[in-house]
Structure formats: C-alpha cells, structure tokens
Amino acid sequence: MQKSIMDKFTRIQGDYRAIIQNPNPLIPPIFGTDEFGWCSEWNSAMTKLSGWSREDVINKMLLGEVFGTHTACCRLKNQEAFVNLSIALNKVVTGQESEKVPFGFLSRSGKYVECLLCVSKKMDGEDAVTGVFCFLQLASQELQQALHVQRLSEQVAVKRSKVLAYIRQQANNPLSGIIFSRKMIEGTDLDEEQKKLLSTSSHCQHQLSKILDDTDLDSIIDGYMDLEMVEFKLDDVLIASISQIMVKSNGKGIMIVDNLDKKISAETLYGDGLRLQQVLADFLLISVNFTPSGGQLGVAANLTKDSLGESVQLAHLVFRYEPNMNLQYFLEVILDYISFLECLIFHSTNAVCNIHDI
C-alpha cells in the first residue's frame, strides 16, 4: 500500500498537494524540500508524529533548522545521524538509487521517534530534479519493542565495559605496588624457603597481570584465548595453583595432598604455563568448595609423550582431582573431570599448547 502511494505521489504532477494534505491514516508521514534544500512539504501525518505544524517548518532549511543536532525543530541523536540524513538526501538528488535507512529524531514533546526513511526525487515535466520527497515508515509495535530491548542491551554492554575498564585500572595500581615490593624483597638476603615463597608470589602476580590484560571479551565468552609459548616447570605451576586455594581449604580444614610423581613435577614444558596455572586454580577452587569440611583433596597427574620428530615431542598431560566426598556430591557437581594439556616439548623452537576439558 505504501509503495503504491509513493509511486502515485511521485508521478502525479498536478495534484500531489491533495495527497500531502490528505488526513487519511493510510498516508504515511511525508516531508520534502525544493531544489535548494528549503522545506516545502510537511503533511498532517508528519505534524502528528513530530508535534511541529506545517507553518513551523515550511521555508526553513531542512538540514540544520528542521532536522539538526542543537537548535533544530526535530533534534537528531548525534552528528552521525545528521550526516547520514544528508547522505540519503544527496544520493537521490544526484540520481543514485534510494534505499530505506534507519532514521530517528526527537519530537516536540521529547519522545524519540524511530522509523525507516525512504527518499524519492521530485521532478518537473522536463524530468529535471526540483526537490525530494521523504516518506517515513513507522516501526510496528513488535519492532519498537525489539529496538527498545536492543537499546537496553547496548546500554548494559556499555556500562559493563566501563565498569570492567575501571576495575582493570584500579587493580593495576595496587598490583604495581606489589611488584615493586616483591622486587625490593628480592634484593635482600633470603633463605631457600623464603625464595620459594617469593617465587610462588611472583607466579600468582604474573597470572593476575595476564588476566587484567585480557581485553577481547568476545573471544573469552566464546572460549578462545591466545596462548603464549614459553618454557615453564610443571612443579612451579602446581605450587602456584595450590597456593591460591590454601586460605579457603584451611578455613574448611581440608588437607591438600600432592600425589604427583616427582619425575612429572620436574618436567620442563613449552606452552602457556600461566593459562594452565589459571585453569588448575579454578578447578581446585571448585573441588574445595564442594569437598566436605575436614575432608581431603588429592592432586595427581599422568604424562605420556608422542614423538613428532627427532627433537619434538607432544606431551599428553592429564590432571586428576580426587576430592573426599560422597557420591551425591560427586554426581551433582561433576567433579570427576579430566583436563588434558597438550604441549609440544622440544629442545629449541616453538610449541602449541591447548587445553581440553571433558
């Protein structure tokens, strides 16, 4: 129906004003300009939609006075919306194809109107462009609701991004103080036990720094992360992971038992040790949370190697957590999980490291 009206409207040369002035509700909101950009048309549907009468807008510049970002009758949301409207009008004047584009403005009452804008050129008997007609297609109630939900989602996403940026900034400041203090302590005379504790603290600090540097939220949500390829000792990773749950486990009286074979602990691997440390700490915390107070949590691992060449081996590392809990807990929280870490172990070049959770 709307397309039929638009075709009829643009082809009739003599009585198009009758259509402009027709109060029929089937006639969409219409406004137009002459060849110089002055507002020359503003029908009753447009008056009802915007709150501005024909007398308020006729002979005013459509861009700037009628639609603009500051003192205009119908204020646009931002400068980008103003530019998009200008482009839509200029495309038609220069003979390019017209497309429906999203359009929105504030009515006189302050209500934000969202619609689709279709621009058509106005021609005289000699096919010369004498201006443009603009037709507005209002969104249905369902579409308006969907757009409203979309705007709310975007607002929530922006707020979360700001909160996340604030947390990162504020966490980095004390973290810098921790790093400085650790470096100062490293310059003092420490015994072996103190050096081990300081090394564990350093591994945890590097893990926290890596987490704070994670900025690609979409990849994190989708379960993808970039992995670094560096040399690390499995024993260092495990000790740092266990240290992160000791306060919780001590509070519940849970004993953490390291059942790793000494040969496995002494292995030097190439891969992302900090990501492995992060995953192990998460799994350990889940195990501690669902282990009854006074219980025991064992950590064990198996390591097998597949040769990929003379100096490169693929290591299959299987960690197993053995919480002391009843069968109901065991089934409810699915703590019988196995995490596989595949690392390329080699003597000189790079490697790939992936974690698969079952």
Side-chain angles (χ1 to χ4, degrees):
M1 181 65 183
Q2 184 178 359
K3 187 178 186 303
S4 175
I5 293 174
M6 289 169 55
D7 292 341
K8 181 179 180 182
F9 186 77
T10 54
R11 291 172 184 171
I12 294 177
Q13 299 296 322
D15 61 347
Y16 70 87
R17 291 186 181 278
I19 299 178
I20 283 286
Q21 298 171 4
N22 194 330
N24 192 315
L26 293 178
I27 303 294
I30 303 171
F31 59 91
T33 71
D34 59 19
E35 63 267 37
F36 303 109
W38 299 98
C39 183
S40 59
E41 305 297 346
W42 194 269
N43 72 345
S44 58
M46 194 65 202
T47 297
K48 182 179 180 180
L49 180 66
S50 67
W52 295 95
S53 68
R54 177 181 173 85
E55 290 72 21
D56 292 326
V57 298
I58 290 298
N59 295 326
K60 289 185 177 180
M61 287 298 296
L62 187 74
L63 295 174
E65 291 185 292
V66 180
F67 293 102
T69 56
H70 298 294
T71 60
C73 298
C74 301
R75 288 191 297 112
L76 303 179
K77 183 181 291 187
N78 48 42
Q79 186 65 26
E80 182 181 359
F82 182 81
V83 172
N84 290 338
L85 176 59
S86 304
I87 292 173
L89 297 176
N90 289 329
K91 275 186 176 181
V92 173
V93 172
T94 57
Q96 300 182 47
E97 289 294 326
S98 172
E99 296 180 355
K100 290 182 179 180
V101 295
F103 183 60
F105 62 90
L106 287 171
S107 68
R108 192 169 191 171
S109 64
K111 178 183 178 182
Y112 189 71
V113 179
E114 288 185 291
C115 54
L116 295 176
L117 171 68
C118 184
V119 184
S120 178
K121 58 187 174 182
K122 182 170 60 173
M123 304 177 68
D124 60 15
E126 298 178 355
D127 292 337
V129 177
T130 60
V132 296
F133 290 123
C134 300
F135 303 83
L136 298 185
Q137 179 182 345
L138 298 179
S140 64
Q141 185 174 359
E142 292 78 11
L143 180 56
Q144 289 180 358
Q145 181 66 23
L147 292 173
H148 178 67
V149 172
Q150 181 181 358
R151 286 197 306 273
L152 291 179
S153 299
E154 291 173 351
Q155 292 173 1
V156 170
V158 170
K159 289 181 180 178
R160 286 180 176 175
S161 297
K162 290 181 178 179
V163 170
L164 185 59
Y166 170 80
I167 293 175
R168 282 177 174 152
Q169 177 61 40
Q170 297 305 313
N172 273 314
N173 291 335
L175 182 60
S176 297
I178 294 173
I179 294 173
F180 173 77
S181 300
R182 176 177 58 80
K183 289 183 177 180
M184 293 296 292
I185 295 175
E186 287 175 350
T188 62
D189 187 16
L190 303 174
D191 58 31
E192 288 303 316
E193 187 63 27
Q194 291 172 328
K195 289 180 180 180
K196 289 181 180 180
L197 291 174
L198 195 61
S199 176
T200 300
S201 174
S202 176
H203 281 87
C204 293
Q205 170 254 306
H206 284 107
Q207 178 186 331
L208 179 57
S209 297
K210 193 176 186 68
I211 294 172
L212 291 174
D213 289 339
D214 288 334
T215 57
D216 191 350
L217 294 182
D218 291 335
S219 296
I220 294 174
I221 293 173
D222 292 337
Y224 297 97
M225 288 185 176
D226 292 331
L227 300 179
E228 294 182 353
M229 298 300 115
V230 295
E231 179 180 302
F232 67 93
K233 287 188 176 294
L234 190 57
D235 188 51
D236 294 336
V237 169
L238 185 61
I239 291 175
S241 301
I242 293 176
S243 70
Q244 298 176 48
I245 52 94
M246 288 307 298
V247 173
K248 183 80 172 182
S249 62
N250 288 340
K252 295 181 66 175
I254 298 173
M255 180 181 295
I256 308 297
V257 180
D258 182 0
N259 293 326
L260 258 69
D261 187 281
K262 296 302 181 183
K263 293 182 179 179
I264 297 178
S265 299
E267 285 282 358
T268 299
L269 307 177
Y270 282 84
D272 200 326
L274 291 177
R275 290 298 184 197
L276 175 61
Q277 179 177 302
Q278 180 182 347
V279 172
L280 293 181
D282 286 340
F283 285 168
L284 281 168
L285 181 60
I286 294 173
S287 300
V288 169
N289 285 337
F290 290 94
T291 298
S293 298
Q296 178 176 301
L297 177 63
V299 182
N302 295 323
L303 178 66
T304 58
K305 303 176 183 178
D306 293 333
S307 296
L308 299 181
E310 293 183 359
S311 60
V312 180
Q313 291 180 309
L314 178 66
H316 298 275
L317 184 61
V318 181
F319 280 95
R320 185 172 64 256
Y321 301 95
E322 302 167 338
N324 179 19
M325 60 172 65
N326 58 41
L327 183 59
Q328 180 179 355
Y329 274 123
F330 188 80
L331 295 176
E332 285 181 355
V333 301
I334 319 175
L335 285 178
D336 188 24
Y337 51 71
I338 302 175
S339 175
F340 292 90
L341 173 70
E342 297 177 351
C343 282
L344 291 178
I345 301 178
F346 53 85
H347 301 297
S348 59
T349 56
N350 291 333
V352 178
C353 173
N354 296 317
I355 295 177
H356 305 284
D357 300 330
I358 300 182

